[in-house]
Amino acid sequence: MIVIKNVHKHFGGFHAVDGINMTIPENQITGLIGPNGAGKTTLFNVIAGVLAPTSGRVFMRSEDITGLPPHDLFKRGFLRTFQISHEFPSMTCRENLMMVPGKQFGEKLWNTWFGRKRIAQEERALRAKADEVLEFLTIEHLANQKAGQVSSGQKKLLELGRTMMTNAKVVFLDEVGAGVNRTLLNTIADAIKQLNQHRKYTFVVIEHDMDFIDKICRSVICMAEGKVLSTGTLEEIKADKKVIGAYLGRSFDNQK
């Protein structure tokens, strides 16, 4: 799905991403782990078009997407979430989902005057789809709740719900478990697995909670100091001496 070839991202003399070569398999859930400062989020931002690489190329299904802005990647089915949720706090959870699809008929001023019937039909369809998504995520009871008033875990579920309002192909999740209680984290994990199995979403997940990674990820990539240290299953990663050194010898079972 995604191929990264010799990508560098420098900030002055600091090499946040230092010659990354990486392949993200299609229709799989891949974990991206590593200590703080490893360059994981910077790499995400380069792939997602938030930052331009200093050098190197990024491909999606063999198409060169290097440096494409996020809205162009969105049209191609590439979405990402952030460590801090980016909801519209004064809108309801349902309205947050209804906002996602692009090129809605009511976006043009002319259509609001002469296309009211079509706008109403489109809004009914979007409302029904949003309610289906909320039900799938088990937060249908929050449909009319202001998004800014729900818990951090529920906001993460809402961000995942936004991907379901589009024809997503690949979704990058940046610390989806941060600040989320264990019950909601299990709900998020189950939703990710179902989207992967039934809708064939390709996921890449940055996460520090190894239990979460173990539950959902088929393969894991470990980064440190802007480089890839190791790739394999979580058990293989945990046994790699280079990886253990990067985590200062601490047990992976304590990385929560």
Side-chain angles (χ1 to χ4, degrees):
M1 176 60 81
I2 301 290
V3 175
I4 302 156
K5 294 187 176 181
N6 198 30
V7 165
H8 294 254
K9 180 60 184 177
H10 303 165
F11 297 97
F14 176 61
H15 294 195
V17 175
D18 194 10
I20 292 288
N21 291 288
M22 186 182 295
T23 298
I24 305 300
E26 190 165 359
N27 298 337
Q28 288 191 24
I29 307 172
T30 300
L32 184 59
I33 67 171
N36 291 330
K40 304 183 298 295
T41 295
T42 301
L43 179 63
F44 260 33
N45 286 334
V46 169
I47 298 168
V50 178
L51 296 173
T54 303
S55 62
R57 313 306 296 175
V58 180
F59 298 87
M60 178 177 172
R61 286 182 168 169
S62 301
E63 178 187 5
D64 191 341
I65 61 169
T66 310
L68 287 183
H71 63 270
D72 280 343
L73 295 174
F74 178 86
K75 295 174 185 176
R76 289 165 169 78
F78 183 110
L79 292 85
R80 70 155 297 179
T81 67
F82 296 85
Q83 291 172 308
I84 300 174
S85 301
H86 288 185
E87 76 282 352
F88 295 101
S90 63
M91 300 176 68
T92 68
C93 291
R94 180 190 288 120
E95 289 168 343
N96 266 262
L97 295 181
M98 292 174 66
M99 285 281 291
V100 173
K103 296 183 179 180
Q104 295 186 32
F105 192 70
E107 292 176 358
K108 295 184 178 179
L109 182 61
W110 180 267
N111 293 339
T112 64
W113 294 341
F114 301 104
R116 293 184 179 179
K117 183 177 180 181
R118 180 173 171 181
I119 290 173
Q121 291 173 338
E122 185 177 63
E123 286 188 348
R124 283 195 295 271
L126 286 172
R127 181 187 179 96
K129 185 172 184 178
D131 285 344
E132 288 178 5
V133 170
L134 291 167
E135 183 178 2
F136 173 85
L137 296 172
T138 70
I139 52 172
E140 63 271 22
H141 58 289
L142 300 176
N144 296 312
Q145 184 84 12
K146 299 291 186 186
Q149 297 174 349
V150 304
S151 72
S152 59
Q154 291 164 339
K155 288 177 182 178
K156 294 292 180 72
L157 280 169
L158 192 60
E159 283 212 330
L160 191 58
R162 289 198 192 105
T163 72
M164 298 175 63
M165 296 295 293
T166 70
N167 294 318
K169 296 180 176 65
V170 57
V171 181
F172 277 50
L173 303 174
D174 194 350
E175 294 198 29
V176 68
V180 179
N181 67 51
R182 184 58 56 180
T183 299
L184 277 176
L185 193 57
N186 287 334
T187 301
I188 292 170
D190 290 341
I192 290 170
K193 289 194 293 184
Q194 287 191 55
L195 289 172
N196 170 251
Q197 292 168 7
H198 301 300
R199 297 200 181 193
K200 305 304 180 184
Y201 280 27
T202 298
F203 283 101
V204 184
V205 184
I206 290 179
E207 187 52 61
H208 290 287
D209 189 317
M210 292 300 111
D211 288 340
F212 184 79
I213 289 290
D214 191 36
K215 184 172 183 178
I216 67 171
C217 294
R218 185 171 171 180
S219 61
V220 179
I221 300 167
C222 182
M223 287 181 61
E225 299 181 345
K227 300 177 183 292
V228 172
L229 279 187
S230 187
T231 302
T233 66
L234 184 59
E235 289 303 314
E236 290 169 342
I237 294 287
K238 289 165 68 174
D240 192 312
K241 292 182 179 179
K242 299 190 300 294
V243 176
I244 294 171
Y247 278 95
L248 304 178
R250 289 175 293 175
S251 169
F252 274 82
D253 294 331
N254 293 323
Q255 297 296 317
K256 305 292 187 180

